[in-house]
Amino acid sequence: MAGRSRQAIKYSIFTVIAALCIWQMMKNLSWESFVEGLGRTDWIWMGAFVLTSIIALVFRTLRWRALLMPTDPSTGVLDTWDSINVGNAVNAVLPGAGEVVRTALVTGKKENYGKSFGTILMERAWDFLAIAIILILVIACGSANVKSFLSGLFSASAGGHGFRIWPLVGAVALAGAGWIVFRLRLKYSWCGKVAETLEGIPGGICSFFKMEKKLLFCSYTAGLWLTYSLMSWTVLKAVPDLAGLSLADALVITIVGNLAAVIPVPTGVGPFHFIVMSTLTVLFGVADETGLLYAVLYHESHAILIIVLGVISYIRKSFLKQSAI
């Protein structure tokens, strides 16, 4: 009951944040300009966006399967594909729950759950590395206003002691929680289950070092983030007022969009749109309506795609499960 209460409070807080973001976007918006921009959208480029999004999912599937192979060689490409799609669809409704769901779907075995979840943590570590590399590329190749913006952002972040101390506080808190769970694993059954999962996580994290084809895994990661950048670029091309922006500018939006997507708001509506819109208006001087149009085209098209693919994958897995009975 307490866990459900905490979840309800968390989602309530982020729902309020989403509502504030939506209100901030809408209060001075000209809907006539927005609708006019929507009418001028190049849907051929939006078709390219959908195709690129599917290619990105293929790279994610191949990359995750490569990490899963050392812990469970029987994992198939289609099983991995379906698990990711269903997890993405769940994340659209319950942010964060999708990672748990896709891990459970791909393993099917309790003893492998912790290791499989550890591979997701390894995925996230590589994604952070990719973001750092993209930042370096943006600073090297980006326009003057982008460089100025990023320099000011990181100098402001590094200036305060809080930026340095909070990651340490978080790490200590997590370590303390883990220690308590292990101490109580024999007394409480739920602690035992959590401890069993935690024990498997290091094996999943170390799966990268057990892979035979590490270079292929790195290629999957590079391909994934290249397609992420192309997704941003294709939507820029679809909006006439943004079509003149370069691939380097698309890299900036890719970083901002992925960081904004981390905020666990149900359906993702609000913070993503507000942050991406603000980035476009501040960095590139476009109208609010143009920035919002970009965010809506990107987010809603992608959301529809992952829900459709998630439903198809869920039906396929359900059919295979019934056939096996």
Side-chain angles (χ1 to χ4, degrees):
M1 185 64 70
R4 291 181 180 178
S5 298
R6 286 194 295 271
Q7 288 291 329
I9 292 171
K10 181 180 74 172
Y11 285 121
S12 297
I13 291 172
F14 284 112
T15 300
V16 170
I17 293 173
L20 290 173
C21 289
I22 293 172
W23 174 78
Q24 186 67 26
M25 285 187 297
M26 303 301 181
K27 65 177 184 177
N28 296 319
L29 201 68
S30 170
W31 285 107
E32 291 182 3
S33 299
F34 178 85
V35 172
E36 180 188 355
L38 185 61
R40 294 190 295 122
T41 298
D42 189 333
W43 295 103
I44 294 178
W45 278 109
M46 287 307 300
F49 167 77
V50 172
L51 178 61
T52 309
S53 301
I54 294 173
I55 295 173
L57 285 170
V58 171
F59 276 122
R60 281 192 69 188
T61 298
L62 295 174
R63 186 180 72 161
W64 192 32
R65 182 174 180 266
L67 280 174
L68 289 168
M69 290 301 287
T71 60
D72 189 359
S74 65
T75 304
V77 174
L78 272 180
D79 285 335
T80 310
W81 166 265
D82 287 335
S83 300
I84 287 177
N85 287 338
V86 175
N88 286 340
V90 171
N91 267 337
V93 181
L94 294 173
E99 312 304 336
V100 177
V101 170
R102 72 161 162 139
T103 303
L105 287 175
V106 82
T107 57
K109 303 174 184 179
K110 270 188 175 180
E111 62 269 17
N112 285 337
Y113 184 87
K115 292 180 180 179
S116 297
F117 192 78
T119 61
I120 294 179
L121 298 181
M122 176 57 77
E123 275 192 304
R124 294 294 176 265
W126 276 88
D127 286 337
F128 278 119
L129 176 61
I131 288 175
I133 293 173
I134 291 174
L135 274 173
I136 294 172
L137 290 175
V138 167
I139 292 172
C141 306
S143 57
N145 57 342
V146 170
K147 294 178 182 179
S148 176
F149 172 77
L150 291 175
S151 299
L153 177 65
F154 285 104
S155 61
S157 298
H161 295 290
F163 180 79
R164 295 191 293 267
I165 196 170
W166 279 112
L168 178 61
V169 171
V172 171
L174 286 174
W179 180 80
I180 292 173
V181 166
F182 275 100
R183 290 281 293 181
L184 299 177
R185 68 185 184 279
L186 298 178
K187 188 174 181 180
Y188 300 103
S189 59
W190 69 270
C191 285
K193 293 178 181 178
V194 173
E196 183 179 349
T197 298
L198 291 176
E199 286 174 343
I201 286 177
I205 294 176
C206 294
S207 60
F208 170 77
F209 303 101
K210 299 177 182 177
M211 286 192 303
E212 295 180 0
K213 300 179 180 179
K214 295 181 177 64
L215 184 59
L216 185 60
F217 173 86
C218 294
S219 300
Y220 290 150
T221 300
L224 176 63
W225 280 91
L226 175 60
T227 49
Y228 280 166
S229 301
L230 289 175
M231 285 165 62
S232 300
W233 184 70
T234 51
V235 181
L236 287 176
K237 289 296 182 182
V239 181
D241 292 339
L242 299 174
L245 296 182
S246 66
L247 184 57
D249 297 325
L251 291 176
V252 178
I253 301 169
T254 300
I255 294 173
V256 171
N258 276 274
L259 294 177
V262 171
I263 302 174
V265 175
T267 72
V269 175
F272 176 89
H273 299 73
F274 177 71
I275 293 172
V276 170
M277 182 190 80
S278 300
T279 300
L280 286 167
T281 55
V282 170
L283 288 186
F284 307 112
V286 301
D288 288 347
E289 293 78 13
T290 302
L292 180 60
L293 176 61
Y294 174 91
V296 168
L297 287 172
Y298 187 107
H299 185 272
E300 271 53 64
S301 298
H302 191 253
I304 292 171
L305 175 65
I306 64 173
I307 290 173
V308 169
L309 291 176
V311 170
I312 293 172
S313 290
Y314 179 79
I315 292 173
R316 196 191 82 87
K317 287 190 76 70
S318 299
F319 178 76
L320 289 177
K321 187 176 181 181
Q322 290 178 357
S323 301
I325 295 176

